[in-house]
Amino acid sequence: MSQAATPLLDTRSPFGTYPAERMVRVAWRLADRHDLSKGLRKRIRALVARIFKGPYDLEADGLKFRIYPGENYDDRKILAKGRLPERAEHKLIEPLLGQGKVFVDVGANIGSYSIFAAGLGADVLSIEANPQTADKLSFNVRANDLKNVTIVNSAVGPRDDTLPLWLEPSNCGFATFVKDLTTGEWAGDWSPTFVQVRPLTAIVDEQGLCRIDVLKVDVEGFEDRVVLPFLRHADKGLWPRVILLETNCRPYWSEDCLPELASRGYQVTGQTDDNMIFELGV
């Protein structure tokens, strides 16, 4: 199928319909070269994205994904590197997952965490705010024939609400409720779409969860408004044993999560460039 005929979003065709051929992989590896200047890499990426925007079907670390590299950072990394992104984070949480464990993924994107955790045998609650991204996530779950993943298409916040979710077409995985993030370093062609927001306590209760072994939260500067209300209102028995928290947008939080996590008995047991691991009662 020619690229011009490729649909913008295809969640119906069987996995394997869109093979990532050698030229595609070479082009995206070039666009991901970090020995090039940031400006040059951005120009190359824009050109490659116009020609090889996707979708493409491929396997990474033994897991199947239909990816759209022209519009998502995680997709580009999977295609350029031939493996899942966040490998360091996966290594940190892998010993905590497996049969009988419960993994809650807030800001699930296309499923690089959810599908990884489900592949290890954990029961996964996968929450994604962007409806189109949630559709991509659903396809990837089906492609891997996973029966232990429940997907909820909702944003998570401190209360029931409807809020503008800001989207940038070159990286739909970087959707944010924090308008300040749409300028400066991350300036681009942002536009808002209004989505439903629900507290994590309500979603967890609706799904009938009675424990959470690992909670991962990656919502681009809105992490504090997910985690802190949950800890303040959920029964202590529902507090996650481990929280994987994205901290690279910490300056945009309304409240700093770290002191309250410490006061509730969470200790830092791991850290990467973008995330921190907190474990309860270490």
Side-chain angles (χ1 to χ4, degrees):
M1 179 179 289
S2 70
Q3 191 66 34
T6 300
L8 178 63
L9 176 65
D10 183 356
T11 59
R12 295 182 179 273
S13 299
F15 182 84
T17 300
Y18 305 103
E21 297 171 346
R22 185 174 184 275
M23 184 179 295
V24 174
R25 295 174 183 268
V26 169
W28 278 109
R29 280 198 292 269
L30 174 62
D32 192 56
R33 280 183 53 176
H34 284 256
D35 57 338
L36 304 175
S37 70
K38 186 176 181 180
L40 178 58
R41 191 166 68 247
K42 185 176 181 179
R43 290 194 295 273
I44 293 173
R45 186 173 67 237
L47 175 62
V48 172
R50 285 197 297 271
I51 302 171
F52 301 113
K53 61 184 178 181
Y56 300 110
D57 295 337
L58 54 79
E59 292 193 27
D61 295 336
L63 302 173
K64 298 175 180 178
F65 293 88
R66 174 163 292 170
I67 61 171
Y68 299 76
E71 58 185 43
N72 198 346
Y73 173 87
D74 276 9
D75 298 47
R76 291 194 284 274
K77 288 296 180 184
I78 290 172
L79 184 51
K81 296 186 179 300
R83 62 170 176 80
L84 295 181
E86 298 106 8
R87 177 170 281 185
E89 287 83 355
H90 288 177
K91 185 177 180 180
L92 288 169
I93 63 173
E94 184 172 3
L96 309 168
L97 300 170
Q99 296 289 337
K101 302 297 185 180
V102 176
F103 179 72
V104 176
D105 187 356
V106 181
N109 202 336
I110 64 164
S112 61
Y113 277 97
S114 288
I115 293 170
F116 169 77
L120 294 172
D123 293 319
V124 177
L125 174 59
S126 189
I127 306 171
E128 172 53 46
N130 185 340
Q132 191 175 69
T133 305
D135 286 343
K136 295 175 182 178
L137 169 64
S138 295
F139 176 88
N140 291 334
V141 168
R142 294 195 305 273
N144 287 278
D145 195 27
L146 294 168
K147 310 300 184 186
N148 50 337
V149 180
T150 299
I151 298 172
V152 174
N153 177 204
S154 175
V156 181
R159 64 189 66 85
D160 285 299
D161 208 341
T162 301
L163 293 174
L165 181 68
W166 290 87
L167 305 172
E168 210 287 325
S170 70
N171 189 7
C172 61
F174 196 68
T176 182
F177 290 113
V178 183
K179 190 176 181 182
D180 287 350
L181 271 174
T182 65
T183 61
E185 179 183 355
W186 291 295
D189 186 20
W190 294 88
S191 61
T193 184
F194 283 82
V195 299
Q196 179 187 24
V197 181
R198 301 183 65 202
L200 185 56
T201 46
I203 296 174
V204 165
D205 181 63
E206 183 179 80
Q207 296 301 319
L209 297 188
C210 58
R211 60 181 286 185
I212 300 173
D213 293 286
V214 181
L215 169 66
K216 168 251 174 182
V217 184
D218 176 354
V219 286
E220 320 308 344
F222 213 63
E223 290 82 10
D224 59 313
R225 282 151 280 193
V226 173
V227 172
L228 297 183
F230 182 74
L231 294 177
R232 291 166 183 170
H233 297 292
D235 291 338
K236 192 170 182 180
L238 259 180
W239 288 6
R241 175 189 168 192
V242 171
I243 299 174
L244 169 59
L245 188 67
E246 186 179 59
T247 52
N248 64 353
C249 292
R250 184 179 175 188
Y252 296 91
W253 293 349
S254 294
E255 297 181 77
D256 192 350
C257 296
L258 274 58
E260 184 159 341
L261 286 170
S263 73
R264 293 177 183 271
Y266 283 93
Q267 296 183 32
V268 178
T269 57
Q271 188 167 356
T272 67
D273 291 341
D274 296 324
N275 297 273
M276 297 178 73
I277 303 282
F278 300 87
E279 192 163 351
L280 183 61
V282 176

